[in-house]
Structure formats: C-alpha cells, structure tokens
Amino acid sequence: MTFISPQYLLDANMAEREAAHLLGAFFCGTVWIGVRYLGAIELGLLTRVFVKGPLRQIIHLHSRLDELERSLSNARDLEHCWDAIQVNCRELGFSGGRLSVQGRVFEAAAPAGLMEPWQLRIPIGGDQYLNLYRDPGAEDCPAVIGRLAGILRDGLRARFGESRSSLTASAR
C-alpha cells in the first residue's frame, strides 16, 4: 500500500490553483486586448463566428462525419451499415437515399414535397452504388460533402466492394 503524504496533496492542489489562476489571467488579458483593439463591432462579429456561426457548424459537421466513419467500421452487417448511413446523412442534410449492394436494395425516399433534389452517387464496385438525395435549397459545404463521399466510398468498398463480392461469389 502506497502512502501519500498530506503535504504532497496540499502541494498538488496549490499547483492546480496556481495554474487555474494563470489561465484565468490569460483569458481576461485576451478579452481586454480584444475589447481594446477590436472594438464592439468586430468583437461581436468574432463572437458570432466562434459561438453561433459557421465555425461551430463546421465543427458539428466534421464530428458527424467522424461518427459516420466509426459507425461504418463497427457495423455488424449490411443492415447496420444502412442504418448508420441514414442517421448520419440525415444529420448532414441529405433527405433520402438508395443503397444497392450484394443484390439487395435499401431505400429511404426523399420527402414528397422536395422539388428536384440533386443526387450524390457513390460507386462501390461493379453495379453496386449509393445514391444520396439533397434539397437544392439546402446550404452546402463542399469540403464536408467531399469528405462524406470519400468516407462512404472507402467504407463501403472495403466491406462490399467488387473484389470482396467476387471473393464471396467464388467461395460459394
């Protein structure tokens, strides 16, 4: 059994408090500099960008993409892959989709009132594919959509791609 002296704990708590005070002083100094040199308008704009604006949205979208990547790699079977795609792509602004893999088709129809949705088609190998439908009026972030396409393509090809399908077919 290891004995920790009360003096050690007191010193550790003191170090944590000093670090917290130092961090607080740094934060206050940064805010003071911001108010002094940026002014109210610029500081308000900076607050909107970091707290309420596009930066927060981009962080949310990228965390959703990370979740999709994890979900695809952890999916037990084709049904779980489709569930992961539906849930995460809906969060990313896609309203429906169609997955054709291993002779099976999964479909989530886009809402009836959607006027001429555009579609993202991701070839998986052979005649297998994933289509995702998006409302043309939805706000787009090209970097996010490009990463989404790459995650879906790589994740689905690794599990159900042409080489895997031909191996499965030759094993039968």
Side-chain angles (χ1 to χ4, degrees):
M1 186 164 131
T2 306
F3 176 73
I4 299 175
S5 73
Q7 185 60 38
Y8 173 79
L9 291 175
L10 188 61
D11 291 344
N13 287 338
M14 181 69 84
E16 287 177 9
R17 279 197 300 268
E18 288 176 3
H21 288 295
L22 185 60
L23 186 60
F26 175 74
F27 176 75
C28 290
T30 304
V31 169
W32 179 80
I33 290 170
V35 169
R36 178 102 168 106
Y37 292 103
L38 289 178
I41 294 172
E42 290 89 355
L43 192 59
L45 177 63
L46 192 62
T47 301
R48 276 197 312 269
V49 167
F50 282 104
V51 177
K52 303 174 189 171
L55 185 61
R56 185 175 183 178
Q57 180 186 11
I58 289 170
I59 291 169
H60 169 73
L61 293 174
H62 280 281
S63 67
R64 180 54 63 185
L65 289 170
D66 291 341
E67 175 61 30
L68 172 62
E69 197 166 25
R70 276 190 302 278
S71 297
L72 282 177
S73 66
N74 294 332
R76 293 187 307 251
D77 54 22
L78 185 55
E79 287 80 11
H80 286 99
C81 283
W82 176 241
D83 290 342
I85 291 168
Q86 280 186 286
V87 168
N88 289 286
C89 288
R90 192 174 307 118
E91 286 285 324
L92 292 166
F94 288 89
S95 55
R98 179 181 174 98
L99 175 64
S100 175
V101 174
Q102 296 179 336
R104 297 178 64 193
V105 175
F106 297 87
E107 191 161 12
L114 197 60
M115 299 299 292
E116 298 184 35
W118 61 264
Q119 118 177 250
L120 174 64
R121 184 176 181 97
I122 301 166
I124 300 169
D127 59 350
Q128 302 180 116
Y129 63 88
L130 170 65
N131 287 345
L132 295 174
Y133 308 113
R134 189 169 178 99
D135 180 0
E139 190 174 323
D140 294 328
C141 183
V144 170
I145 292 173
R147 184 169 171 225
L148 169 67
I151 288 170
L152 290 168
R153 180 199 62 221
D154 296 345
L156 292 171
R157 279 185 181 174
R159 295 187 74 136
F160 311 109
E162 194 171 353
S163 62
R164 181 154 174 113
S165 297
S166 61
L167 288 176
T168 305
S170 65
R172 291 180 194 170

